[in-house]
Amino acid sequence: MRARFLLLATLALLASCKPAPPPPHEPTAEEVSAVEAKIQNYFRRAVRVPDGVGMRLVDIALSPIPDLLTARLEISRSGQLQRLPIAFSRDGQFMIQGELNDLNADPEAAIMQRINLEAAPSRGAATAPVVVVEYLDLQCPFCAEAHRMLQTQLLREYDGRVRLVAKHFPITSLHPWAESAANATECAKLQTEGLFWHLHDALFEAQHEITPLNLKERSVTVVRDGGGDVGLFERCLENRDGLERVRADIAEGSSIGVRSTPTFVINGRVVEGAVPFESLRAIVDEQLASPTIAAAARMQNGRPGTDR
C-alpha cells in the first residue's frame, strides 16, 4: 500500500505545473573579465606568448549547451589581428579550442551564414543561385592567375547564374604591399563599387610591376583615370581608412578556416588554391543541378513546378 502511495505521489509530482528554469543570461562584465584573465594566463603559459602581443575575448555569445559560452580570442600585434574560435564554461573551469558544430545542421549553409555578403563588392547578378566568394591577396601570383580565369571563363560561361564576391586576405608575412593594396581598393570602394573593381583589376594586371614604393602612385593614376576624386582617395590612403574593412574580411575568413590565397567558398563549399577552371565548373554545375537551387531558379523565372 505504501509503495503504491509513493508511486502515485511521484506521478502527481511529475504531472504538476512547475516553473520553467530561468533562461540563460548574458555573461556580466565581471564574469567575462574573470574568465578572460584566466584564458590569457593559460595561453601565455602554454605557448609562451611574446611581449607586445595583446589578447582579448570578442564575439562572446550563449551556446546551445547550458553553461557554455562561445567567443573568439583576438590576438593582436603590430596592427595584425587573428581570431581563434573557443568555447568555455561560465565558471572559467574549462576551455575548448575550436568551433562548436551542430551535427544536425547543414555545414555548407552554416559557413555561408557567417560570411557577410552585404558590404562586399561583387560581380554578376545579385540574385544568382550560385555565390562564389574569393578570399584574395592582391600581391599573390596565384590570385592573379585565378583572377584571369574568373573574369574570362567563370563569369562569362555562367552569366546570370554565378555571383562573384571579393574578400580581402592579404598575407603580409609573404607580400609586403598586399595590405596597402587592399586598403587602396577599399578607399576606391568608398567612392563607388565600380572604382573598386577598376583598381582591383588594374593591380592584378600590373602585379609584377608594383612595389611598395610605387603602389600609391600607380593607384592614384588608376583612380584618376577611372573618374574618381583623387584628393578624397589620397586622404583615405593616408588615414588607412579601408583597413577596418580589410581586417574584418581577414577575421571572417579565419573563422571559416581560410589559411591561404586564393580560397573560394562556393555556396558554402571551401576550395583552396588556384584550381583549374574545370574543377570550379564541376562544383558550380553540381550546385545548379541541386533540387533546391533548381526550384528557386524556376520560381525566380516565374516557372513554378518541375521540369518535364
Side-chain angles (χ1 to χ4, degrees):
M1 186 72 178
R2 178 177 174 79
R4 183 183 177 193
F5 173 78
L6 289 174
L7 177 59
L8 291 174
T10 301
L11 290 174
L13 180 62
L14 290 174
S16 63
C17 295
K18 295 178 288 185
H25 63 274
E26 295 288 342
T28 65
E30 291 75 15
E31 286 180 299
V32 171
S33 179
V35 175
E36 187 173 55
K38 293 188 73 171
I39 291 174
Q40 288 181 1
N41 183 54
Y42 175 85
F43 274 100
R44 291 191 187 280
R45 289 185 293 113
V47 296
R48 305 296 181 189
V49 177
D51 294 338
V53 174
M55 288 187 287
R56 67 183 185 122
L57 293 179
V58 298
D59 301 334
I60 301 167
L62 301 172
S63 84
I65 302 174
D67 297 322
L68 195 70
L69 301 173
T70 61
R72 307 223 171 256
L73 180 64
E74 183 179 272
I75 303 172
S76 60
R77 187 180 191 185
S78 302
Q80 301 299 308
L81 294 178
Q82 184 178 12
R83 288 178 176 166
L84 304 177
I86 63 170
F88 55 91
S89 58
R90 298 188 79 119
D91 61 7
Q93 281 283 95
F94 301 101
M95 178 187 70
I96 302 168
Q97 291 179 246
E99 299 282 356
L100 286 179
N101 296 305
D102 183 349
L103 298 182
N104 296 315
D106 179 344
E108 292 179 357
I111 286 176
M112 288 305 295
Q113 287 173 0
R114 291 163 62 179
I115 298 176
N116 179 8
L117 300 177
E118 296 298 321
S122 67
R123 277 174 163 160
T127 56
V130 177
V131 178
V132 178
V133 181
E134 182 192 10
Y135 290 88
L136 60 91
D137 175 317
L138 288 160
Q139 194 178 349
C140 167
F142 301 105
C143 292
E145 180 182 334
H147 168 72
R148 287 185 284 273
M149 177 266 290
L150 293 170
Q151 307 307 315
T152 62
Q153 293 179 277
L154 185 72
L155 288 176
R156 290 184 183 179
E157 184 166 326
Y158 293 95
D159 183 29
R161 295 179 293 166
V162 166
R163 176 187 175 196
L164 175 65
V165 177
K167 292 279 186 173
H168 299 289
F169 205 85
I171 301 175
T172 55
S173 59
L174 295 176
H175 304 137
W177 55 262
E179 185 180 75
S180 295
N183 175 63
T185 60
E186 283 300 310
C187 285
K189 182 175 175 288
L190 288 175
Q191 297 191 39
T192 67
E193 186 169 321
L195 197 59
F196 167 91
W197 286 111
H198 185 59
L199 181 56
H200 167 278
D201 295 350
L203 291 174
F204 270 136
E205 291 303 318
Q207 188 185 74
H208 63 287
E209 301 171 0
I210 295 173
T211 69
L213 295 178
N214 69 15
L215 172 65
K216 178 179 177 181
E217 179 185 353
R218 298 293 292 261
S219 299
V220 167
T221 299
V222 172
V223 167
R224 180 183 293 111
D225 292 344
D229 183 327
V230 171
L232 181 63
F233 178 71
E234 289 185 319
R235 287 192 294 274
C236 181
L237 290 183
E238 185 69 24
N239 296 329
R240 299 176 72 78
D241 290 336
L243 283 188
E244 182 179 355
R245 182 69 257 159
V246 173
R247 288 168 180 165
D249 283 355
I250 294 171
E252 177 187 274
S254 297
S255 77
I256 61 172
V258 176
R259 300 171 298 176
S260 60
T261 57
T263 292
F264 303 98
V265 182
I266 306 172
N267 277 10
R269 185 179 303 185
V270 179
V271 180
E272 287 187 308
V275 297
F277 174 61
E278 289 71 22
S279 299
L280 289 186
R281 174 194 275 153
I283 298 172
V284 171
D285 286 345
E286 181 183 333
Q287 290 293 318
L288 290 171
S290 76
T292 302
I293 289 178
R298 286 193 297 271
M299 291 297 293
Q300 181 182 315
N301 294 327
R303 293 184 288 115
T306 57
D307 291 332
R308 298 184 183 277

